[in-house]
Amino acid sequence: MDKFDRIYALHKLLSDARYPIPRTAIQKKLECSRSTFMRLVNTMRDYLGAPIEYNDNGWYYDSNGEHPYELPGLWFNAQELHALLAIHKLMHDLQPGLLDEQLKPVQKRIEHLLQSKHLGSGELTDRVRVLAMGVRTHADAFQKVAEGVLQRKRLKLHYHARGSNQTTQRTVSPQRLVHYRDNWYLDAWCHKRQALRNFSVDRIKQIKILEQRAEEVDQQTLQDYFADAYGIFSGKADHTAVLRFSPIAARWVAEERWHPRQEGEFLADGQYQLKLPYSNPKELIMDILKYGPDVEVVGPESLREAVREKLKLALGNYEASG
C-alpha cells in the first residue's frame, strides 16, 4: 500500500467511524509502522487540512458540528503537478539503453500514480498537458555523454557549432548534464581551450569514451561559472541588463523569473523595470526581441546597441522585399 492509498484508507476509516479508533487498530488496517502512521497524520493535517484529533480512546475526525471533512480531489500544487508530469515525460523520452533496468521500477511507480483512482483513473495525463517548445532531436551521442558523466571518463568529441558553422575536435572532462528549455546540454572542462565550456548534446556528431579519468571541477566553481549569468550562455556575470517593459507587457513580466538574482519594480507610469546579470548576451537578446515594441533596453549601451542592430536587420528583410 503506497502513501496515497494509505491516506485514502485512513480518511475512510476516520470518516466511517462513530467512535475514536486506537492507533494499533489503524496501523494493522493500513499495514504500517507507528512512525509511518504519524507521518500520514501530520501530512493530512498540515497539507490537506484534515481535522484529525486524539483522545484517550484513539484517533478521530473533529468536525465541530460542521459538514463532514472530505479530501480534496487533487492536492498537488502547480509546481508539484508540473514536476510529476515532467518526470513522466522525461522518462518516456529518455534515450533507449540509458539506465533502463534501474529506471523501470521508478517509471512504473510514476505511471501507477498517474493512473491511480485517486487522480482520476488515468484522466490526469489526458486532461493536463505539458507542452515542449523548441525541442531539438537528440543526437545518438546522448547515451555516451551520460555514461561519460556518470562513469567520470573523458570524452573525445567532434562538435559542430551552429554559430560558426564549424566542426572541431575536442577532448573534454564531462562534469554534468543539464536539461534546459527542453534540450540537453553538457557542462565540461575543455582540454583544448583549458576552460569550462557548454556543449549542446544534439550538436555532437561523433563521440568516443576514453579510458582516461575525467578531470574534476569542484561544484562551487561550476556554480559560479554556469549559474551566475543569464541562461545557458553562461560565464561569470560582468554586466547588468536594465530592461523597461510597457504597462501591457508588465502584466506578464512582473510575474516571470528570468534570473535568480533579478530585481524588478513598477514605475510611476505603469512600466516595469527589470534588472538582471548576464555575461554572453546571446540568449538574453533573443528573449528581449520576442517582446518587440513592448520592451526597451535602458542599459548597458552595448546591449542596447546589439538589440538595435538586430531590429535593423530584421526590418531590412521586409524593406528589401517590399
Side-chain angles (χ1 to χ4, degrees):
M1 186 180 295
D2 64 20
K3 177 180 178 181
F4 292 92
D5 287 330
R6 285 197 175 105
I7 287 176
Y8 270 84
L10 178 56
H11 170 67
K12 189 175 189 316
L13 280 175
L14 298 178
S15 295
D16 294 344
R18 299 178 60 185
Y19 305 101
I21 308 174
R23 173 179 53 79
T24 53
I26 296 177
Q27 286 179 222
K28 184 177 181 180
K29 188 72 174 178
L30 300 185
E31 301 175 350
C32 69
S33 65
R34 183 181 185 279
S35 59
T36 298
F37 167 70
M38 292 307 303
R39 283 196 296 271
L40 287 174
V41 170
N42 291 332
T43 296
M44 292 180 69
R45 281 174 170 171
D46 296 342
Y47 297 102
L48 306 179
I52 301 178
E53 299 294 340
Y54 171 79
N55 64 23
D56 292 339
N57 296 315
W59 297 82
Y60 62 98
Y61 271 157
D62 182 11
S63 62
N64 290 320
E66 300 175 357
H67 295 294
Y69 171 76
E70 292 293 339
L71 280 177
L74 182 69
W75 58 79
F76 292 119
N77 61 34
Q79 292 80 8
E80 291 166 341
L81 179 59
H82 178 266
L84 180 64
L85 292 172
I87 291 171
H88 180 259
K89 184 180 188 306
L90 278 174
M91 296 186 75
H92 182 269
D93 295 343
L94 197 64
Q95 303 297 317
L98 179 65
L99 302 176
D100 275 349
E101 293 305 314
Q102 292 87 344
L103 291 179
K104 277 182 181 177
V106 180
Q107 187 169 7
K108 286 181 179 179
R109 291 289 292 173
I110 292 174
E111 289 178 350
H112 171 73
L113 178 58
L114 292 173
Q115 294 294 327
S116 168
K117 60 183 179 295
H118 311 320
L119 300 182
S121 299
E123 287 288 310
L124 187 60
T125 52
D126 292 331
R127 301 300 179 183
V128 181
R129 303 176 69 193
V130 176
L131 299 178
M133 299 296 292
V135 179
R136 298 189 293 270
T137 302
H138 296 141
D140 295 334
F142 181 87
Q143 184 174 346
K144 289 184 178 179
V145 168
E147 289 177 5
V149 170
L150 298 176
Q151 295 176 9
R152 311 308 306 126
K153 292 184 177 181
R154 298 190 186 193
L155 300 172
K156 186 175 182 180
L157 314 176
H158 287 260
Y159 185 76
H160 177 257
R162 285 189 177 88
S164 64
N165 199 30
Q166 294 181 345
T167 299
T168 57
Q169 183 174 305
R170 313 279 188 101
T171 296
V172 303
S173 287
Q175 302 300 316
R176 59 190 182 187
L177 271 170
V178 179
H179 191 259
Y180 176 74
R181 292 192 173 185
D182 293 311
N183 290 290
W184 286 103
Y185 299 86
L186 171 67
D187 290 346
W189 176 263
C190 177
H191 294 276
K192 180 182 179 70
R193 306 299 185 194
Q194 285 295 295
L196 287 168
R197 289 292 185 268
N198 178 274
F199 301 91
S200 181
V201 173
D202 67 292
R203 303 314 298 163
I204 298 175
K205 300 306 180 183
Q206 296 181 38
I207 182 170
K208 180 180 180 181
I209 300 176
L210 305 178
E211 289 302 318
Q212 193 172 3
R213 186 77 179 168
E215 185 172 326
E216 297 293 344
V217 178
D218 66 88
Q219 289 297 315
Q220 188 58 54
T221 300
L222 292 174
Q223 183 69 14
D224 290 343
Y225 184 84
F226 288 109
D228 191 49
Y230 180 86
I232 204 69
F233 298 101
S234 49
K236 190 66 177 178
D238 50 7
H239 301 287
T240 298
V242 181
L243 312 177
R244 194 166 292 169
F245 295 86
S246 70
I248 294 177
R251 301 170 193 168
W252 284 266
V253 179
E255 298 180 1
E256 294 177 351
R257 188 189 188 202
W258 289 41
H259 190 277
R261 293 195 290 110
Q262 70 185 38
E263 298 177 10
E265 62 175 336
F266 278 97
L267 304 180
D269 59 0
Q271 295 188 90
Y272 185 77
Q273 185 164 283
L274 180 66
K275 296 181 180 180
L276 65 158
Y278 73 96
S279 175
N280 186 325
K282 184 175 181 180
E283 187 171 5
L284 177 57
I285 291 173
M286 289 190 290
D287 281 343
I288 291 171
L289 291 174
K290 73 182 182 182
Y291 280 94
D294 286 312
V295 62
E296 177 188 359
V297 178
V298 179
E301 184 58 35
S302 59
L303 179 62
R304 184 179 174 90
E305 181 59 33
V307 172
R308 182 190 292 118
E309 186 61 29
K310 288 287 186 182
L311 291 171
K312 285 181 179 178
L313 292 172
L315 181 60
N317 290 336
Y318 296 93
E319 292 176 340
S321 62

